[in-house]
Amino acid sequence: MCQLLAMSSHKPAAVDFSFAGFAGRGGRTGEHKDGWGIALHTATGCRLYTDYLPSIHSPLAAQFKQSPIKARSVVAHIRKATQGRVSLENSHPFTRDLWDQTWSFAHNGDLKLFDPNPSLYAPWGDTDSERAFCHLLSGLALRFATQPERHLLYAALEALAGEIAAYGSFNFILSNGDLLFAHCSTELHVVVRAYPFSVAHLIDCDLSIDFSRHNHLDDRIAVIATQPLTSNEPWTRFAAGELKLFAGGVEVGALPEARQQMLRVAY
């Protein structure tokens, strides 16, 4: 099984702490040795880094750890190949443009016999994951000429994800920088870091951080991972088939924005 990591933050934040533990699963504490990648959505656009080498041996991964980039949304992946060659074009995340935005996508699972008809987007590699990504974006582009309200986008993605998940396990992360969708077929976890911040301890390496020394009162960061990355934080497991939507570090769900604002006032 591949490994997923994602972040949705209220303000630009570094993902270096979580990435330090996550990268260890690419050959040291895990068997995922077939490439890795990370997409960072910043104010200037989406920056993509991918490599076919194991993350523990990758000079690019080492360079990223030394000079982390702050972003409001992050999608990362460590690959254990089930379909497709071990190659750069098969390393997640994948990116495409839709509605004048760059969308990034990473998948964990195995979609057996998933071979959709040619669509508006064509894969560059030969993985089931990229075929699924192209199918998702094509489905959205055919439904909406421009980006819809987020509750309509949520409903469309939920329907499309259900169709694809019929072919096998379909855990995925999808983001355009403002919105981050996380879908669980088998296993996915989330933790929200907010005030009052505390010390966190990574599982995969001997590293800890006191978030109270690095964050402000209004900081809020949601971190999603296949398996919990820390040993002392309250990670919550997704339900099978669940699609969660995050914006600015907050799980916003499927309600229309106006309805959500009414609920906030009520409480």
Side-chain angles (χ1 to χ4, degrees):
M1 186 192 310
C2 301
Q3 295 284 304
L4 297 172
L5 168 65
M7 181 185 77
S8 171
S9 178
H10 174 57
K11 295 186 292 187
V15 72
D16 52 331
F17 174 72
S18 293
F19 185 78
F22 182 69
R25 298 178 180 181
R28 186 175 64 244
T29 59
E31 57 184 351
H32 318 90
K33 302 179 181 180
D34 300 321
W36 71 278
I38 188 166
L40 302 109
H41 293 268
T42 70
T44 58
C46 179
R47 302 176 67 168
L48 178 66
Y49 302 83
T50 58
D51 196 349
Y52 62 89
L53 296 173
S55 55
I56 62 164
H57 298 312
S58 166
L60 185 61
Q63 179 183 345
F64 180 80
K65 291 177 188 177
Q66 294 300 318
S67 55
I69 301 166
K70 290 189 175 183
R72 288 188 60 194
S73 185
V74 174
V75 178
H77 183 272
I78 295 176
R79 187 176 182 224
K80 180 183 178 184
T82 55
Q83 296 187 37
R85 307 179 312 277
V86 176
S87 62
L88 194 59
E89 61 267 28
N90 286 336
S91 297
H92 309 215
F94 307 107
T95 59
R96 295 290 193 281
D97 289 338
L98 172 64
W99 305 317
D100 296 322
Q101 302 167 8
T102 299
W103 291 78
S104 60
F105 172 90
H107 165 232
N108 162 16
D110 189 11
L111 300 170
K112 298 186 183 300
L113 304 179
F114 179 70
D115 189 18
N117 293 325
S119 58
L120 300 177
Y121 294 85
W124 298 330
D126 53 2
T127 65
D128 54 333
S129 304
E130 193 179 14
R131 289 194 296 273
F133 179 37
C134 291
H135 187 71
L136 278 180
L137 289 195
S138 295
L140 294 178
L142 291 170
R143 285 167 169 81
F144 309 109
T146 59
Q147 183 174 335
E149 294 184 47
R150 69 188 185 199
H151 69 284
L152 298 176
L153 181 56
Y154 179 100
L157 272 173
E158 189 174 41
L160 288 164
E163 294 172 6
I164 298 173
Y167 290 87
S169 53
F170 192 42
N171 307 290
F172 73 80
I173 307 292
L174 175 71
S175 179
N176 68 345
D178 294 321
L179 304 176
L180 188 144
F181 294 88
H183 179 266
C184 175
S185 278
T186 55
E187 196 158 22
L188 210 56
H189 296 78
V190 61
V191 65
V192 176
R193 293 168 179 156
Y195 181 83
F197 294 96
S198 59
V199 176
H201 310 286
L202 287 174
I203 294 172
D204 296 270
C205 61
D206 186 16
L207 187 63
S208 300
I209 188 171
D210 183 353
F211 284 113
S212 67
R213 300 180 60 183
H214 299 274
N215 291 280
H216 299 95
L217 296 180
D218 61 341
D219 284 340
R220 186 177 179 90
I221 304 167
V223 179
I224 300 100
T226 301
Q227 293 283 347
L229 294 166
T230 55
S231 59
N232 64 324
E233 292 184 293
W235 292 82
T236 300
R237 183 168 182 161
F238 284 48
E242 186 174 19
L243 176 67
K244 289 182 180 288
L245 169 58
F246 300 87
V250 177
E251 184 182 348
V252 296
L255 286 176
E257 291 184 59
R259 174 63 174 155
Q260 288 184 351
Q261 291 171 359
M262 289 174 61
L263 290 175
R264 291 192 190 103
V265 171
Y267 288 97

